[in-house]
Amino acid sequence: MTAIGIAPAQDLARGSRRPAIDVARGLALVAMAAYHGSWDATYFGLARFDLLGDPLWLAARAVILSSFLLLAGIGLVLATRDGLDPGRFLRRLGRVAAGAAAVSAASYALFPDSPIFFGVLHHIAVASVIGLAFVRLPAAVTLATAAVAVLIGTTQSLPLFDSPWLRWIGLTTVAPDSNDFVPLLPWIGGVLAGIGLARLWPAMGEGVEVTGGGGRLLAWAGRHSLAVYLLHQPLLFGIAWAAAQLSPVETPAARDFQAACVSSCERAGVSSATCTANCRCVQSELVRNGVWEGFVANRLSERDQRGLEAAVAACRKP
């Protein structure tokens, strides 16, 4: 999976926030939730979105992720514009790091073959520390550095960085199997670009009032973006799982599987009723064991292949 993450709101002093920035972050959260919901639906066979191959989906991921990193950079400048408060910065950094650790732990438990070891929260934690070196530099210097980071990160690759200890930097020759990999290069370019833009436009978002229930809701989500990030995906994942359990054979992907499976089974001389029951059982087992997404995408790992064989064996009728 390629998951998309968020940039947690900066810890600004009470009354010093800029609601327009919070609304922008809230809009990005909506886009991120839509993407994650699409991934969940595909994972459980409720839809057939080609998230890893369709250029439009790949572009959507890049835009959504870039928007959060850009806002993280802007927030870092706003949080330090009156000087760095070490205690506040470290508390925020600790919350982001704790969130990153929780995401990694959950991903290792659910997806041991493609865990999240350096996702967006990990990236934001590291980029926030690096970003402190740029919050007082001229905007032109920071924007130039952002461009160089993107250029190097998208054009260079060295076997040295394939090491498990260095993959988080980027520049790998083979992308690691991870559900949300956001390496330092090229993505720190987004954070640095946000820092540069906030330095170039110090009054960004000032004087903009948020009105209406929708605007206030977006601003609230933007203020609590870390909590929204940590809670939304388990909620969406659970909803998709429940939907798959309630109607495991009523989705487009499942219907295609059922038709092909039953046809193949009948050609082997098995009755239609037995084939239908067996194929429904196999599909349900694949969903239950978390193998369905890889099966539909035709990219089963060795572990998934064993899961497929186990499902077939468990559902075979005498």
Side-chain angles (χ1 to χ4, degrees):
M1 137 178 100
T2 302
I4 304 302
I6 67 163
Q10 302 295 327
D11 285 324
L12 302 180
R14 183 178 298 275
S16 65
R17 300 194 69 95
R18 299 185 186 182
I21 304 298
D22 289 329
V23 169
R25 192 179 287 107
L27 288 170
L29 281 166
V30 172
M32 174 269 297
Y35 184 96
H36 281 169
S38 299
W39 187 92
D40 294 337
T42 301
Y43 181 82
F44 285 109
L46 302 173
R48 299 190 68 176
F49 300 121
D50 187 7
L51 301 179
L52 302 180
D54 189 324
L56 292 179
W57 278 110
L58 293 174
R61 176 188 183 270
V63 169
I64 296 169
L65 178 55
S66 296
S67 70
F68 280 113
L69 297 178
L70 190 77
L71 288 164
I74 292 171
L76 188 61
V77 173
L78 294 180
T80 58
R81 69 189 184 280
D82 296 325
L84 175 66
D85 182 332
R88 180 177 296 160
F89 177 82
L90 290 175
R91 286 193 297 273
R92 171 191 172 270
L93 185 64
R95 288 196 294 270
V96 176
V103 169
S104 287
S107 71
Y108 273 98
L110 292 171
F111 311 105
D113 292 328
S114 55
I116 299 172
F117 64 91
F118 201 80
V120 69
L121 291 182
H122 306 72
H123 182 105
I124 289 173
V126 174
S128 295
V129 176
I130 296 174
L132 289 179
F134 292 86
V135 293
R136 292 290 178 264
L137 294 181
V141 172
T142 305
L143 292 173
T145 305
V148 170
V150 173
L151 179 63
I152 293 175
T154 55
T155 62
Q156 303 300 310
S157 59
L158 297 169
L160 170 67
F161 294 97
D162 292 335
S163 163
W165 301 105
L166 298 177
R167 287 181 298 182
W168 63 275
I169 297 174
L171 307 181
T172 57
T173 61
V174 179
D177 191 1
S178 174
N179 285 326
D180 183 25
F181 183 49
V182 188
L184 200 62
L185 295 172
W187 292 105
I188 196 173
V191 176
L192 294 178
I195 293 173
L197 289 175
R199 292 283 291 160
L200 197 63
W201 184 12
M204 181 185 300
E206 281 188 352
V208 179
E209 295 185 5
V210 176
T211 59
R216 287 192 291 271
L217 181 60
L218 288 172
W220 179 87
R223 288 194 299 272
H224 303 282
S225 53
L226 178 58
V228 172
Y229 172 73
L230 293 174
L231 294 175
H232 89 282
Q233 178 62 328
L235 177 62
L236 293 177
F237 194 82
I239 291 173
W241 176 85
Q245 306 312 305
L246 291 173
S247 56
V249 298
E250 296 302 322
T251 65
R255 284 195 296 270
D256 290 348
F257 167 77
Q258 289 297 316
C261 179
V262 170
S263 176
S264 175
C265 177
E266 289 177 342
R267 286 197 298 271
V270 182
S271 69
S272 177
T274 298
C275 288
T276 299
N278 285 359
C279 291
R280 285 181 176 175
C281 175
V282 169
Q283 194 264 333
S284 296
E285 284 293 302
L286 293 179
V287 171
R288 186 177 67 84
N289 294 329
V291 181
W292 179 249
E293 184 213 25
F295 177 82
V296 171
N298 194 28
R299 52 181 180 84
L300 292 176
S301 64
E302 291 185 9
R303 174 178 174 273
D304 290 344
Q305 184 63 44
R306 292 194 297 271
L308 172 60
E309 293 169 358
V312 173
C315 296
R316 185 179 290 121
K317 303 297 182 182

